[in-house]
Amino acid sequence: MSAGYLEATARQRVARFFDAGSVHEWLGPSARVTSPHLAALGMPAAFDDGVATGRATLAGRPVYFAAQEPEFMGGAVGEVHGAKLTGVLLRAARDRPDGVVLLLDTGGVRLHEANAGLVAIAEIQRAVFEARLAGVPVVAVCAGSNGCYGGIGIVARGCDRIVMTEEGRLSVSGPEVIEAHRGVEEFDARDRALVWRTMGGKHRYLLGEADALVEDRFEALREAVVPYLGHARPLDLDSVRAEHEALGRRLARFGEAPDSLDIWSALGVADPARVPMLEPGPFVEMAAPLRERADA
Amino acid sequence: MRDVLALCDALFPAGHDARLEGGRVVGTGRTRDTEVAVVGTHAHAAIGADLAFALAGDVLAIMEDHPGRPILMLVDTQGQNLSRRDEMLGNPGYLAHLAKCFEVARRRGHRILALVYGEAVSGGFLALGMTADEAYATPDAQVRVMALPAMSRITQIPVERLEELCRTSPIFGPGAQNYEKLGCLEAVWHGDLAEALAAALARPARGDRRRSLGAERGGRLAANDVVERLLREP
Amino acid sequence: MEHLVFEFGPYPERPRPAAAVIVGVVGSGNLEALCESAPLGGRLRVEVSSSVHGFGNTWKAVLGDFADRVRLPDLLITINDAGATPAVVGLRLAQAAAELGAA
């Protein structure tokens, strides 16, 4: 087993992210809650439809969790997969644990269940708000190999907090989709450096889209999430007004920027070209005082 | 495809001042009983950071200037804007911001309806349309995740097979009727739009009923059951 | 999809694993195997759903090998396969055996 979060399976992540021995799954593999749609397409089902859901403790505090399996259909959201996420969030709204931790790793809608996947994501989005308005903080961890794309990218930004690694990516449209629609001149999806500086964790942290940027280690990710437990952020007229101001400022400051490097430079990063080479620790030290915030 | 101002004429025979601003449609309409704030898009507008931000500004203005006024989203969007610039600027944040503004409006007592009268696709529909208390559509509305040829390329399922599956299942094919069957659309408005709107506004909001509607209508048989089971798990 | 069922044993009684064990994931060239205690008259039963057709004999050989090595009675193994090679199948089964305490 590799030491990092990035290459672990959903169940390995859950076992190592939360307190040892504290994990209790809901609708686990033995329940065989599988996709009703894949067999007709000749595709194998998974016993958990690609998402582990349940409760655990984190630093001793009760939390609910969902963890998307990166290998199963790229973590994509089908009808059952989505309903499990919605269920966890609605259960949190009802029971009020200290937080919900979503270990997201997905390309978005599972195209093999297209319309049902899209509706499922809309329901997840609503359920995130239900949990938040019940006072339960919802923390999204975007540190997986598929990134956090499509409608789930929007869902993640509807959560209280986002924790990322450099390797994690957060966007609505992925590089391949943009390239397919607009051509390689618009986005060369094979240019990994371009992908990371446009959608990766460091850029998202500098822009204020992510709240924390840590290295690809379980302990680092845990430590980033723990302070957010028990502290729900308001979702009210004042909070959306403040966000509106910040997002307007972002458009005004960076709306004409041709590249992320120009944004970093405008933020006051002394040597933007060196940003991808920085280890997470020194990067955050450099970036924290300079970065934009979406909430202030 | 309908002209959005003509659509407003049909929705608000007592009058409206809806106007176009870029990809947006914004204004106020009058039904028999009440004034309704209109916020939406036209000409299949792709929703990128700027448009999502402007729409969120419209929703904030409604909350500030007309507390409690019902809101009607008019939806015609080809989806999120597919561009490097919008993703670089953080399109998830802008689309989620729009969704949050609608959620806050809902909690502050605004009744929120959506009418899909053109296209409603993926990420655009998630932020504008599916964030309503209930979404409706005109019969010719094109609701979808992706067109079948593109879906075929990505899933490696032949188009002919997808077309065959569309005949028996509402989960693949585009169209308002499929999304109605899935519970995503409360109803398709076939008759008089003004009457349908007034009737919908007269009903109280009932929370997110999409999964139970999907089960009742036979379009999504698993989702509601899975949520209910998970809520009961020991 | 191809659905295959194999039974091996019966094997002499021995303490059963308390909880279900799951190994692997359904991803290209991989599989998941769910191992649960079940009243099978001492037999070890394997149910396979595979996206790849026509490898019944290979499955039988690999699974039979495994069953005769671990000799676990009243065990149901359910497999969702996305085209795992015999080597990967063997690896996953060895993992399952280790977690079941039968390695």
Side-chain angles (χ1 to χ4, degrees):
Chain A
M1 199 189 297
S2 94
Y5 174 98
L6 185 68
E7 292 183 1
T9 67
R11 272 196 187 73
Q12 288 166 346
R13 287 175 182 172
V14 166
R16 299 178 62 193
F17 192 94
F18 299 103
D19 298 342
S22 75
V23 173
H24 172 85
E25 262 193 70
W26 294 319
L27 302 184
S30 292
R32 293 174 166 75
V33 180
T34 59
S35 165
H37 305 298
L38 296 177
L41 301 171
M43 317 266 314
F47 290 121
D48 58 5
D49 205 34
V51 63
T53 49
R55 61 176 153 79
T57 64
L58 182 58
R61 311 183 67 151
V63 295
Y64 292 175
F65 70 83
Q68 296 180 303
E69 169 51 53
E71 286 279 317
F72 182 64
M73 311 200 78
V77 178
E79 178 177 350
V80 168
H81 180 119
K84 288 177 75 178
L85 276 152
T86 295
V88 165
L89 289 155
L90 293 180
R91 190 166 173 149
R94 182 189 75 189
D95 303 345
R96 304 186 186 195
D98 285 358
V100 179
V101 181
L102 303 178
L103 305 180
L104 303 175
D105 196 341
T106 182
V109 170
R110 184 185 296 171
L111 287 174
H112 306 77
E113 306 184 21
N115 300 343
L118 183 61
V119 185
I121 293 180
E123 290 170 328
I124 296 166
Q125 177 169 264
R126 193 74 61 86
V128 165
F129 294 145
E130 291 290 337
R132 290 188 58 180
L133 289 159
V136 181
V138 183
V139 183
V141 175
C142 305
S145 48
N146 297 303
C148 184
Y149 282 109
I152 296 295
I154 306 174
V155 167
R157 279 292 278 114
C159 296
D160 287 72
R161 301 285 183 179
I162 296 182
V163 173
M164 292 187 76
T165 57
E166 182 171 13
E167 297 82 1
R169 286 140 289 139
L170 171 67
S171 260
V172 188
S173 310
E176 290 80 7
V177 175
I178 298 174
E179 185 185 313
H181 274 81
R182 300 278 295 266
V184 71
E185 309 76 26
E186 172 74 13
F187 206 124
D188 182 352
R190 282 167 311 174
D191 183 345
R192 302 323 284 172
L194 175 66
V195 172
W196 283 22
R197 74 173 184 271
T198 308
M199 302 167 172
K202 282 178 174 167
H203 178 55
R204 292 305 183 219
Y205 181 74
L206 279 163
L207 210 53
E209 286 281 289
D211 298 274
L213 187 284
V214 299
E215 60 185 300
D216 176 38
R217 268 192 318 113
F218 282 94
E219 197 51 41
L221 287 162
R222 282 169 56 100
E223 279 171 13
V225 171
V226 168
Y228 299 143
L229 301 179
H231 300 287
R233 297 170 78 183
L235 179 57
D236 56 20
L237 186 53
D238 286 340
S239 78
V240 287
R241 260 192 204 129
E243 184 170 76
H244 199 69
E245 204 169 299
L247 293 176
R249 193 171 63 230
R250 188 192 296 172
L251 282 178
R253 283 188 82 181
F254 312 128
E256 306 300 321
D259 193 282
S260 304
L261 290 168
D262 302 290
I263 294 178
W264 303 347
S265 181
L267 281 167
V269 174
D271 191 356
R274 233 173 61 81
V275 164
M277 269 88 83
L278 290 176
E279 292 295 321
F283 166 77
V284 169
E285 205 173 304
M286 176 279 292
L290 303 176
R291 73 194 197 99
E292 266 287 353
R293 299 279 298 267
D295 59 342
Chain B
M1 219 47 71
R2 287 156 195 268
D3 170 73
V4 70
L5 297 180
L7 176 76
C8 287
D9 294 342
L11 284 163
F12 304 110
H16 68 86
D17 66 0
R19 61 197 182 279
L20 307 181
E21 290 190 11
R24 284 147 61 223
V25 53
V26 58
T28 307
R30 278 189 303 283
T31 68
R32 271 195 311 273
D33 318 308
T34 182
E35 308 229 287
V36 178
V38 170
V39 47
T41 55
H42 71 108
H44 317 322
I47 305 184
D50 307 86
L51 183 51
F53 178 73
L55 289 165
D58 293 337
V59 182
L60 285 170
I62 294 164
M63 283 192 268
E64 284 162 4
D65 300 339
H66 307 288
R69 180 176 281 182
I71 300 172
L72 176 65
M73 299 182 210
L74 294 179
V75 182
D76 179 15
T77 173
Q78 59 186 279
Q80 71 271 16
N81 196 29
L82 292 159
S83 88
R84 183 163 80 88
R85 172 184 175 273
D86 286 289
E87 295 304 348
M88 178 180 77
L89 289 171
N91 216 16
Y94 286 91
L95 290 168
H97 175 58
L98 178 56
K100 287 177 217 173
C101 287
F102 282 121
E103 188 64 34
V104 169
R106 183 185 353 269
R107 302 293 161 158
R108 291 171 64 84
H110 294 262
R111 185 85 166 92
I112 308 180
L113 305 181
L115 177 64
V116 182
Y117 70 96
E119 297 185 354
V121 184
S122 287
F125 190 29
L126 276 172
L128 183 77
M130 288 200 273
T131 39
D133 300 337
E134 299 131 38
Y136 299 87
T138 57
D140 54 350
Q142 283 301 306
V143 191
R144 65 173 180 274
V145 171
M146 194 178 270
L148 289 189
M151 201 186 287
S152 165
R153 268 200 309 280
I154 298 174
T155 59
Q156 315 264 301
I157 303 166
V159 173
E160 301 73 39
R161 176 75 180 125
L162 284 175
E163 282 167 350
E164 194 183 307
L165 289 162
C166 284
R167 284 196 281 276
T168 54
S169 163
I171 70 166
F172 294 105
Q177 282 71 22
N178 283 334
Y179 277 79
E180 183 182 28
K181 203 151 187 235
L182 294 171
C184 181
L185 296 174
E186 184 83 12
V188 176
W189 286 350
H190 290 276
D192 184 288
L193 292 176
E195 274 176 30
L197 175 61
L201 285 170
R203 288 191 292 270
R206 284 170 292 188
D208 192 345
R209 301 201 310 146
R210 289 175 287 200
R211 58 195 161 83
S212 57
L213 282 178
E216 270 170 39
R217 295 171 183 173
R220 270 195 306 157
L221 294 171
N224 195 50
D225 181 54
V226 169
V227 172
E228 296 302 324
R229 277 182 68 183
L230 196 143
L231 289 170
R232 288 194 308 266
E233 280 275 277
Chain C
M1 296 297 296
E2 184 157 51
H3 300 279
L4 304 163
V5 178
F6 305 96
E7 287 206 352
F8 307 99
Y11 301 111
E13 218 169 296
R14 53 182 284 181
R16 292 182 191 180
V21 161
I22 183 151
V23 295
V25 293
V26 182
S28 182
N30 205 341
L31 60 74
E32 68 178 351
L34 176 63
C35 310
E36 302 159 295
S37 286
L40 290 167
R43 290 173 169 270
L44 188 160
R45 180 180 166 92
V46 187
E47 300 180 357
V48 180
S49 296
S50 177
S51 59
V52 185
H53 287 246
F55 285 88
N57 288 334
T58 313
W59 280 107
K60 192 177 180 182
V62 175
L63 295 170
D65 241 29
F66 169 78
D68 281 341
R69 190 157 49 79
V70 296
R71 303 180 66 77
L72 288 170
D74 297 311
L75 183 71
L76 172 65
I77 302 180
T78 320
I79 291 176
N80 289 323
D81 171 55
T85 61
V88 172
V89 177
L91 180 72
R92 293 288 167 240
L93 291 172
Q95 232 179 314
E99 294 203 24
L100 288 164

